[in-house]
Amino acid sequence: MRIDVLGVGFDNLTMTEAVSRGAALLEEPGCHYVVTPNPEIVEVCRENPAAMRAVNGADLVLPDGIGVVKGAAMLGTPLKEKTPGIEFAAGLMGKMAETGKSLYLLGAKPGVAEAAAERLQAQYPGLKIAGTHDGYFKEDAPVVEAIRESGADCVFVCLGAPKQELWMVEHGPATGAHLMVGLGGSLDVFAGVVERAP
C-alpha cells in the first residue's frame, strides 16, 4: 500500500527494508527501477504528467528528504522514515559487493563517473564496476548499447529529475540490467567533487 503525497505514491519502508527490496529486485528477471523523489520532484510531477507516470510506475518509490516525510505526516498517513537515495545506494552497493554484482555509473560531467568508480571500488571491495558514462550525451542508443555490452546488473542513472526517470522507463529494458536507480547528483558526492547536502 503506497502512501499518497500530492499524487506521488511512496513505499512505506525503513532503509533496511528498502535496501533488501532493492537487492531482491536485482535477482528478479526483467528490468526494474527505483526513484527517490524529494519535495522538488513531487512538484515537478504535479506539473508534468509524464514524470508523474514514470515516478509512480517505479518498483520502489523512496522518500528522499524530510519534507516528504513531514508532508505525509501532515496528511495523516505517516511514512516510517526518510530513505535518501544516496544512503539507499550505499546499502545496495554493500549487498552487491557481497554477491559479486556489477554496477554501471551513468551521469555527471566528464570524468566524474570514473572518479566515483575508483572511490566506490575502494570503499566496497567485491563490487564490480561494469563501466561509466558521463551525462552529456546527445544520443541514447550508443549509451544503451554500452550498458548492454558491459553486462551490468545495476545502473545508477544520475541525469537529474525528471530526465533520469523518463530515461529509465524508456531505455531500461534495452540495457539488459535488472535494476536502475535514479540518483540525481549522487555521482558528484561519490566522486568527492561536492560535499553531501546536510
Side-chain angles (χ1 to χ4, degrees):
M1 222 334 254
R2 284 189 170 169
I3 288 185
D4 186 305
V5 179
L6 302 177
V8 175
F10 287 89
D11 288 293
N12 193 15
L13 304 169
T14 64
M15 182 59 84
T16 305
E17 290 166 344
V19 169
S20 296
R21 185 77 194 103
L25 288 170
L26 269 170
E27 304 296 340
E28 291 176 17
C31 184
H32 311 277
Y33 69 103
V34 179
V35 296
T36 58
N38 59 18
E40 191 185 352
I41 297 171
V42 172
E43 284 301 311
V44 168
C45 289
R46 293 177 72 194
E47 289 161 23
N48 181 333
M52 183 72 90
R53 278 193 302 276
V55 166
N56 281 331
D59 296 80
L60 266 181
V61 183
L62 304 175
D64 188 332
I66 198 69
V68 173
V69 174
K70 289 264 191 245
M74 286 157 84
L75 293 166
T77 48
L79 287 157
K80 289 179 185 173
E81 62 184 23
K82 67 180 166 113
T83 47
I86 205 151
E87 287 169 31
F88 170 77
L92 190 63
M93 286 187 286
K95 296 256 191 218
M96 288 172 67
E98 287 166 23
T99 52
K101 294 271 188 265
S102 62
L103 174 66
Y104 196 99
L105 302 175
L106 172 63
K109 290 183 176 141
V112 172
E114 290 87 340
E118 270 178 45
R119 289 184 61 161
L120 293 173
Q121 198 93 70
Q123 213 175 334
Y124 300 93
L127 178 69
K128 297 185 183 120
I129 302 288
T132 62
H133 200 291
D134 66 67
Y136 289 73
F137 53 91
K138 293 279 183 283
E139 289 180 29
D140 296 311
V143 178
V144 171
E145 185 58 25
I147 296 170
R148 203 173 64 75
E149 283 182 1
S150 79
D153 298 299
C154 180
V155 185
F156 287 174
V157 184
C158 304
L159 303 174
K163 184 178 177 182
Q164 63 197 15
E165 288 75 14
L166 298 168
W167 201 90
M168 292 189 293
V169 170
E170 190 176 346
H171 301 292
T175 65
H178 287 292
L179 186 64
M180 312 200 91
V181 187
L183 289 170
S186 298
L187 288 184
D188 291 312
V189 179
F190 292 143
V193 176
V194 298
E195 284 287 310
R196 187 178 163 194

